mmCIF file of all heavy atoms in Angstrom:
data_model
loop_
_atom_site.group_PDB
_atom_site.id
_atom_site.type_symbol
_atom_site.label_atom_id
_atom_site.label_comp_id
_atom_site.label_asym_id
_atom_site.label_seq_id
_atom_site.Cartn_x
_atom_site.Cartn_y
_atom_site.Cartn_z
ATOM 1 N N ASP A 270 -4.553 7.051 -14.041
ATOM 2 C CA ASP A 270 -5.670 7.931 -14.443
ATOM 3 C C ASP A 270 -6.030 8.877 -13.168
ATOM 4 O O ASP A 270 -5.819 8.473 -12.106
ATOM 5 C CB ASP A 270 -6.793 7.276 -15.011
ATOM 6 C CG ASP A 270 -7.782 8.236 -15.684
ATOM 7 O OD1 ASP A 270 -7.388 9.219 -16.118
ATOM 8 O OD2 ASP A 270 -8.989 7.787 -15.918
ATOM 9 N N GLY A 271 -6.783 10.027 -13.497
ATOM 10 C CA GLY A 271 -7.443 10.697 -12.438
ATOM 11 C C GLY A 271 -6.562 11.908 -11.886
ATOM 12 O O GLY A 271 -5.617 12.310 -12.379
ATOM 13 N N LEU A 272 -7.137 12.381 -10.786
ATOM 14 C CA LEU A 272 -6.607 13.583 -10.158
ATOM 15 C C LEU A 272 -5.151 13.319 -9.649
ATOM 16 O O LEU A 272 -4.794 12.276 -9.175
ATOM 17 C CB LEU A 272 -7.482 13.979 -9.036
ATOM 18 C CG LEU A 272 -8.907 14.209 -9.274
ATOM 19 C CD1 LEU A 272 -9.736 14.498 -8.108
ATOM 20 C CD2 LEU A 272 -9.143 15.511 -10.153
ATOM 21 N N ALA A 273 -4.467 14.526 -9.652
ATOM 22 C CA ALA A 273 -3.101 14.525 -8.825
ATOM 23 C C ALA A 273 -3.427 14.594 -7.358
ATOM 24 O O ALA A 273 -4.521 14.842 -6.983
ATOM 25 C CB ALA A 273 -2.403 15.758 -9.221
ATOM 26 N N ARG A 274 -2.429 14.202 -6.465
ATOM 27 C CA ARG A 274 -2.639 14.470 -5.089
ATOM 28 C C ARG A 274 -2.837 15.808 -4.795
ATOM 29 O O ARG A 274 -2.280 16.837 -5.316
ATOM 30 C CB ARG A 274 -1.224 13.922 -4.484
ATOM 31 C CG ARG A 274 -1.132 12.448 -4.507
ATOM 32 C CD ARG A 274 0.034 12.039 -3.643
ATOM 33 N NE ARG A 274 0.304 10.603 -3.642
ATOM 34 C CZ ARG A 274 -0.551 9.759 -2.993
ATOM 35 N NH1 ARG A 274 -1.411 10.096 -2.113
ATOM 36 N NH2 ARG A 274 -0.274 8.402 -3.166
ATOM 37 N N GLY A 275 -3.613 16.155 -3.818
ATOM 38 C CA GLY A 275 -4.069 17.458 -3.433
ATOM 39 C C GLY A 275 -5.398 17.461 -2.694
ATOM 40 O O GLY A 275 -5.908 16.397 -2.345
ATOM 41 N N PRO A 276 -5.875 18.639 -2.287
ATOM 42 C CA PRO A 276 -7.018 18.743 -1.423
ATOM 43 C C PRO A 276 -8.199 18.044 -1.983
ATOM 44 O O PRO A 276 -8.990 17.592 -1.117
ATOM 45 C CB PRO A 276 -7.179 20.359 -1.410
ATOM 46 C CG PRO A 276 -5.894 20.854 -1.720
ATOM 47 C CD PRO A 276 -5.221 19.898 -2.722
ATOM 48 N N ALA A 277 -8.332 17.851 -3.240
ATOM 49 C CA ALA A 277 -9.563 17.110 -3.834
ATOM 50 C C ALA A 277 -9.667 15.690 -3.314
ATOM 51 O O ALA A 277 -10.691 15.127 -3.405
ATOM 52 C CB ALA A 277 -9.498 17.185 -5.302
ATOM 53 N N LEU A 278 -8.565 15.173 -2.863
ATOM 54 C CA LEU A 278 -8.560 13.717 -2.449
ATOM 55 C C LEU A 278 -8.565 13.661 -0.899
ATOM 56 O O LEU A 278 -8.624 12.624 -0.287
ATOM 57 C CB LEU A 278 -7.311 13.039 -2.957
ATOM 58 C CG LEU A 278 -7.268 12.889 -4.501
ATOM 59 C CD1 LEU A 278 -5.913 12.167 -4.805
ATOM 60 C CD2 LEU A 278 -8.343 12.054 -4.912
ATOM 61 N N ASP A 279 -8.532 14.801 -0.151
ATOM 62 C CA ASP A 279 -8.466 14.807 1.327
ATOM 63 C C ASP A 279 -9.522 13.856 2.025
ATOM 64 O O ASP A 279 -9.208 13.317 3.107
ATOM 65 C CB ASP A 279 -8.495 16.200 1.858
ATOM 66 C CG ASP A 279 -7.238 16.943 1.644
ATOM 67 O OD1 ASP A 279 -6.223 16.228 1.183
ATOM 68 O OD2 ASP A 279 -7.239 18.192 1.748
ATOM 69 N N ASN A 280 -10.793 13.870 1.505
ATOM 70 C CA ASN A 280 -11.730 13.118 2.252
ATOM 71 C C ASN A 280 -12.102 11.829 1.451
ATOM 72 O O ASN A 280 -13.097 11.168 1.737
ATOM 73 C CB ASN A 280 -12.996 14.046 2.226
ATOM 74 C CG ASN A 280 -12.755 15.278 3.227
ATOM 75 O OD1 ASN A 280 -12.267 15.059 4.287
ATOM 76 N ND2 ASN A 280 -13.168 16.331 2.674
ATOM 77 N N ALA A 281 -11.372 11.431 0.528
ATOM 78 C CA ALA A 281 -11.618 10.284 -0.293
ATOM 79 C C ALA A 281 -11.276 9.056 0.523
ATOM 80 O O ALA A 281 -10.487 9.038 1.420
ATOM 81 C CB ALA A 281 -10.884 10.281 -1.580
ATOM 82 N N VAL A 282 -11.814 7.957 0.198
ATOM 83 C CA VAL A 282 -11.370 6.630 0.764
ATOM 84 C C VAL A 282 -10.627 5.853 -0.508
ATOM 85 O O VAL A 282 -10.861 6.203 -1.570
ATOM 86 C CB VAL A 282 -12.451 5.756 1.304
ATOM 87 C CG1 VAL A 282 -13.152 6.470 2.384
ATOM 88 C CG2 VAL A 282 -13.505 5.359 0.150
ATOM 89 N N LYS A 283 -9.745 4.903 -0.110
ATOM 90 C CA LYS A 283 -8.902 4.307 -0.981
ATOM 91 C C LYS A 283 -9.080 2.721 -0.901
ATOM 92 O O LYS A 283 -9.133 2.231 0.149
ATOM 93 C CB LYS A 283 -7.481 4.720 -0.647
ATOM 94 C CG LYS A 283 -6.298 4.225 -1.648
ATOM 95 C CD LYS A 283 -5.050 5.028 -1.244
ATOM 96 C CE LYS A 283 -3.844 4.221 -1.255
ATOM 97 N NZ LYS A 283 -2.797 4.972 -0.703
#
Side-chain angles (χ1 to χ4, degrees):
D270 194 19
L272 299 172
R274 291 189 178 278
L278 297 175
D279 284 350
N280 296 314
V282 300
K283 181 167 142 186

